[in-house]
Amino acid sequence: MSGATLERGMNAFREQMNAPIASFFSSCVNCGMCAEACLFYTETDDPKYTPINKLEPFRRVWEQEYTIWGKVKSMLGLTKPVTDELLAEWEELIYDGCTLCGRCSMVCPVGNDISYMIRRAREGFVAAGYAPEGIKGASRRAITIGSPMGVKYPALAAQIKHVEADTGLTIPVDVEGADYMALLSSMEIMNFPEYLEALARIFKQAGVSWTISSKAFEATNSGIQIGSSDIARELVSRVVSEAEKLKVKYVISPECGHAYTAIRWEGPNLIGRPYNFKVVHILELLDELRATGRIKTEGTEDDRLTFHDPCQIVRKGGVLEQPRNLLEMVTSDYVDMTDSREMNWCCGGGGGVSANERAEELRIKVFKRKKSQLDELNVDTLVTACANCRLIIEEGLEEYRMEMPVVGLTEMIAEHLVEDKE
Amino acid sequence: MSTPTDFLLWVRGPGFDIALVIFIIGVIIRLLEVLVLGRKPDQAEPRGGELGPGLRTVVTRTLPETGSFKRAPFTVIGGYIWHIGFFISLFLFVPHIELINATLGLIWPGIPSNLVDAVAAVTIVTLIAMLFSRLSHPVKRYLSGPEDYLTWLVTFLPMLTGYLAYHRMIDPYPLVLGLHILSVELLMVVFPFTKLMHAFTFIIARWYNGAMAGRRGVQS
Ligand code: SF4
Ligand code: SF4
């Protein structure tokens, strides 16, 4: 991020231009429908948060450099150039005001995948030096320390010890030839160690051969959030080379939404080749273990509960029914939210927003969307499958004085495991 | 071009040819501009196909998503009415069909003129209402620039002049018919240089949207 200049930003915008983006810009009729799908507009009523408006700088690059008519117009001085001032003004919209949740992309009548465009436009912003300090810091820590929250292996080792002491199980570390290599997010290591414990217990029962790498355990990828392919590539490469070194067949993406997007969908494109292993989300794996009868549970939760679909896992990840199958196994009073699955509303903290302290006030404001979804249902407990969503929702509930436990799905499954009698 | 008849002859002859050439070449250039950019092959292992979901989205995006429809019913319903009304007026009015038959040799049945007349009236009223909505709705007003109003105008004029011509509300008839044809030519000339292009590119946009989501196992 040093040496960021407008020129570099413009080059990054140009690198991101492709046929989908050009078709999207060509098609937009300014109907405003995308605003109605975006929580940043619905909860603020401020039209500047209209999804397509967040792309104005990128749109100018497209018009002025990728259409003949736009070139003519700029020669005649009829277009407005992309300037530092413009990028500075739009930085807030494209980072603080967008979680890359992808909901707008589901409603645009001409079919624009707006969140895809925003993800790519961020490349230009960061290259030009316009990205929030919070996410810049997280990316810096991810590169130098290995985790956006500054979590180093000793911290994980300490958690592993705890879990081993509590459960009497061994957590395999750096085991070559294991079938699965599990990744974690810093947030799970620091805030939700229950996740690690749940993995250990479930895998024990199912007889899954697995390992954690002491060198590449971090699943999150700040490079994706800030929009820097260089950083993202470096972070993905660490996981890929460890996984290939340990010769695992699968890498397990944890209960963290954007980690899944990073390692599952963006990773191979960042390193420019397919992996020698497969990536599965933990919920996909659990559902497979369920379907093949390798995990057995007993009892059900009697609370009325619902599931918050993490955007990156569900709408943008395609893991739609697995969480429901798993919930069905351990709950008796489950209800879906009105807008669920691929139309669910974001918690407000994705896409780097949670790492961006400056955005906090806005984030709390847009949480009202989740709040009203929950108010409608009258549920006791909220289940989700993303450590980031979970933290954001907990904060939001606290802010709006709503008492409701937020539980990770993997843990919930682990709690209902039939205990081995040995 | 001293008399209305001369004017009509010009817009029907050379005027129309010029507009048609600009329209066709312009549209081809604009489509090529998009398509030549291409996209890099996706290296991530797909969960689903691209072609099927892409084509499905091309079709299904025609219907609104329930929640946003409830939030903006006017935009959706108004949009349907005037798009459909415009196409009925353009393609099902018998004199238009005869014209197309004379130039392209294609023919299909039309509908009674008084029906087209009613549809046209509804379309005109809806277009005016859409303009008011664009000027008053906070989001639409915020997003709109000169191009949005220009494209509205060049869409509206053929409807208005067509209506005036059909009812012979301007004398002499060759003048109003000439104005109608001229307004269509204006639409054709403006088309490739503006967002009117969405009439073609929406197919590409929806396809990419559906295909990229389809790869991930989601129907968008
Ligand atoms: S919904 Fe689509 S066409 Fe309408 S303003 Fe948004 S991006 Fe443009
Ligand atoms: S991706 Fe989500 S947050 Fe971003 S503009 Fe679209 S709807 Fe809004």
Side-chain angles (χ1 to χ4, degrees):
Chain A
M1 280 156 281
S2 52
T5 59
L6 181 61
E7 187 50 40
R8 287 200 178 179
M10 293 299 282
N11 284 333
F13 281 133
R14 289 179 195 120
E15 256 168 53
Q16 295 303 318
M17 190 58 63
N18 62 11
I21 302 240
S23 75
F24 299 153
F25 279 130
S26 306
S27 300
C28 176
V29 289
N30 281 343
C31 69
M33 290 304 291
C34 49
E36 311 299 340
C38 176
L39 70 173
F40 287 91
Y41 171 70
T42 63
E43 304 314 299
T44 62
D45 283 327
D46 190 336
K48 74 177 180 185
Y49 292 118
T50 301
I52 196 70
N53 181 52
K54 295 167 191 169
L55 290 153
E56 176 58 17
F58 199 19
R59 193 198 65 80
R60 288 190 193 173
V61 175
W62 163 77
E63 185 186 24
Q64 292 164 25
E65 300 189 15
Y66 295 87
T67 70
I68 291 180
W69 179 236
K71 284 184 199 154
V72 174
K73 278 209 285 191
S74 14
M75 280 193 303
L76 299 173
L78 295 172
T79 49
K80 293 186 215 142
V82 176
T83 58
D84 278 293
E85 293 71 43
L86 181 79
L87 296 181
E89 193 184 339
W90 250 261
E91 181 193 312
E92 191 258 342
L93 297 181
I94 204 159
Y95 286 104
D96 305 24
C98 176
T99 57
L100 298 178
C101 78
R103 206 170 182 277
C104 49
S105 304
M106 301 294 290
V107 311
C108 169
V110 297
N112 291 354
D113 189 344
I114 308 159
S115 68
Y116 172 85
M117 302 164 94
I118 293 181
R119 160 68 186 87
R120 296 181 82 100
R122 283 186 180 181
E123 297 272 345
F125 277 77
V126 70
Y130 296 96
E133 276 312 316
I135 319 183
K136 278 192 203 166
S139 311
R140 224 175 285 126
R141 284 189 296 277
I143 288 288
T144 55
I145 305 176
S147 134
M149 290 167 70
V151 178
K152 293 189 191 175
Y153 182 66
L156 174 59
Q159 289 291 6
I160 290 179
K161 251 205 182 129
H162 265 295
V163 173
E164 288 183 332
D166 286 354
T167 57
L169 299 169
T170 327
I171 297 201
V173 177
D174 295 332
V175 177
E176 209 181 296
D179 287 344
Y180 291 87
M181 177 172 115
L183 300 176
L184 300 162
S185 70
S186 291
M187 223 175 259
E188 278 152 352
I189 301 169
M190 300 314 288
N191 302 45
F192 306 111
E194 310 91 285
Y195 176 72
L196 186 57
E197 181 178 333
L199 282 193
R201 294 178 49 205
I202 295 169
F203 290 167
K204 168 82 171 88
Q205 191 189 69
V208 170
S209 125
W210 69 298
T211 186
I212 285 179
S213 158
S214 62
K215 289 175 208 72
F217 55 87
E218 177 62 59
T220 63
N221 192 319
S222 312
I224 302 283
Q225 298 178 323
I226 201 167
S228 164
S229 288
D230 294 336
I231 297 177
R233 184 177 307 113
E234 164 65 23
L235 298 176
V236 164
S237 306
R238 290 178 188 174
V239 173
V240 174
S241 65
E242 266 306 287
E244 293 183 348
K245 208 174 88 202
L246 294 176
K247 302 189 188 71
V248 296
K249 298 196 189 86
Y250 300 89
V251 165
I252 308 170
S253 184
E255 280 201 351
C256 166
H258 92 268
Y260 184 59
T261 289
I263 192 78
R264 174 70 174 87
W265 304 110
E266 291 217 22
N269 294 307
L270 289 165
I271 63 167
R273 64 168 172 90
Y275 302 143
N276 295 331
F277 51 86
K278 284 181 193 284
V279 175
V280 287
H281 188 264
I282 180 66
L283 295 187
E284 285 180 279
L285 175 56
L286 293 182
D287 190 43
E288 195 196 306
L289 296 176
R290 175 201 64 82
T292 49
R294 288 170 70 187
I295 46 176
K296 293 202 173 50
T297 58
E298 60 188 357
T300 54
E301 300 283 325
D302 298 324
D303 278 8
R304 185 173 164 82
L305 29 76
T306 189
F307 182 69
H308 164 76
D309 291 278
C311 308
Q312 302 298 323
I313 296 171
V314 180
R315 173 164 45 243
K316 299 188 77 179
V319 183
L320 283 98
E321 297 309 321
Q322 290 89 337
R324 272 128 193 124
N325 298 340
L326 292 164
L327 279 159
E328 200 183 312
M329 186 165 69
V330 293
T331 63
S332 59
D333 190 7
Y334 172 79
V335 271
D336 260 327
M337 295 189 206
T338 320
D339 288 314
S340 67
R341 293 179 172 82
E342 63 269 49
M343 284 318 293
N344 188 36
W345 293 87
C346 180
C347 64
V353 172
S354 62
N356 175 3
E357 299 88 6
R358 183 179 77 190
E360 191 173 319
E361 200 187 318
L362 182 61
R363 169 164 68 74
I364 296 287
K365 200 167 187 183
V366 302
F367 183 77
K368 279 187 295 176
R369 179 46 51 175
K370 187 82 327 178
K371 177 184 176 338
S372 28
Q373 274 191 297
L374 290 171
D375 284 343
E376 242 177 59
L377 290 181
N378 200 14
V379 286
D380 310 307
T381 302
L382 178 69
V383 187
T384 191
C386 167
N388 188 53
C389 296
R390 189 167 167 190
L391 209 67
I392 294 297
I393 293 172
E394 283 178 352
E395 277 183 36
L397 293 174
E398 197 181 314
E399 186 71 26
Y400 291 99
R401 311 208 186 299
M402 293 167 77
E403 298 260 336
M404 187 182 297
V406 185
V407 186
L409 181 50
T410 308
E411 281 156 63
M412 184 172 268
I413 299 295
E415 264 165 42
H416 287 274
L417 284 182
V418 178
E419 288 297 335
D420 286 337
K421 295 287 178 291
E422 353 149 4
Chain B
M1 253 196 273
S2 42
T3 66
T5 313
D6 291 340
F7 167 61
L8 179 60
L9 284 175
W10 188 84
V11 292
R12 266 191 178 165
F16 193 82
D17 292 342
I18 296 169
L20 193 65
V21 168
I22 295 179
F23 176 78
I24 293 175
I25 295 182
V27 167
I28 292 174
I29 290 179
R30 286 299 304 275
L31 290 176
L32 287 177
E33 269 175 0
V34 170
L35 296 171
V36 294
L37 289 172
R39 61 175 172 147
K40 289 198 189 126
D42 195 335
Q43 305 282 348
E45 192 199 5
R47 192 200 299 284
E50 289 204 332
L51 188 63
L55 294 177
R56 259 188 86 159
T57 300
V58 172
V59 179
T60 55
R61 245 346 131 86
T62 310
L63 292 173
E65 180 271 324
T66 327
S68 45
F69 171 59
K70 280 190 198 137
R71 289 185 54 93
F74 182 82
T75 302
V76 176
I77 296 172
Y80 275 126
I81 295 179
W82 87 255
H83 274 92
I84 294 170
F86 189 89
F87 282 109
I88 290 180
S89 312
L90 177 60
F91 291 118
L92 296 182
F93 184 48
V94 174
H96 291 168
I97 298 173
E98 281 165 2
L99 188 73
I100 293 167
N101 187 22
T103 31
L104 297 174
L106 293 169
I107 191 155
W108 55 83
I111 59 172
S113 294
N114 50 3
L115 197 58
V116 178
D117 182 40
V119 168
V122 171
T123 307
I124 289 170
V125 172
T126 311
L127 275 168
I128 294 173
M130 296 301 278
L131 177 65
F132 274 103
S133 159
R134 190 166 282 289
L135 288 163
S136 59
H137 187 284
V139 170
K140 286 196 260 185
R141 193 184 51 216
Y142 182 89
L143 294 178
S144 302
E147 190 182 325
D148 296 278
Y149 298 105
L150 174 70
T151 49
W152 179 88
L153 186 71
V154 298
T155 311
F156 180 72
L157 286 178
M159 291 302 307
L160 179 72
T161 53
Y163 191 82
L164 294 175
Y166 178 75
H167 290 278
R168 312 209 170 208
M169 283 158 127
I170 294 178
D171 259 348
Y173 182 68
L175 176 64
V176 68
L177 185 61
L179 285 175
H180 177 54
I181 298 171
L182 184 67
S183 71
V184 173
E185 288 161 9
L186 188 64
L187 174 66
M188 285 159 63
V189 169
V190 168
F191 192 101
F193 305 107
T194 57
K195 55 188 60 189
L196 290 168
M197 272 303 291
H198 80 280
F200 293 103
T201 55
F202 85 95
I203 299 175
I204 309 174
R206 285 184 185 178
W207 188 81
Y208 276 131
N209 184 321
M212 293 191 293
R215 255 190 101 83
R216 298 183 179 204
V218 177
Q219 183 62 54
S220 69

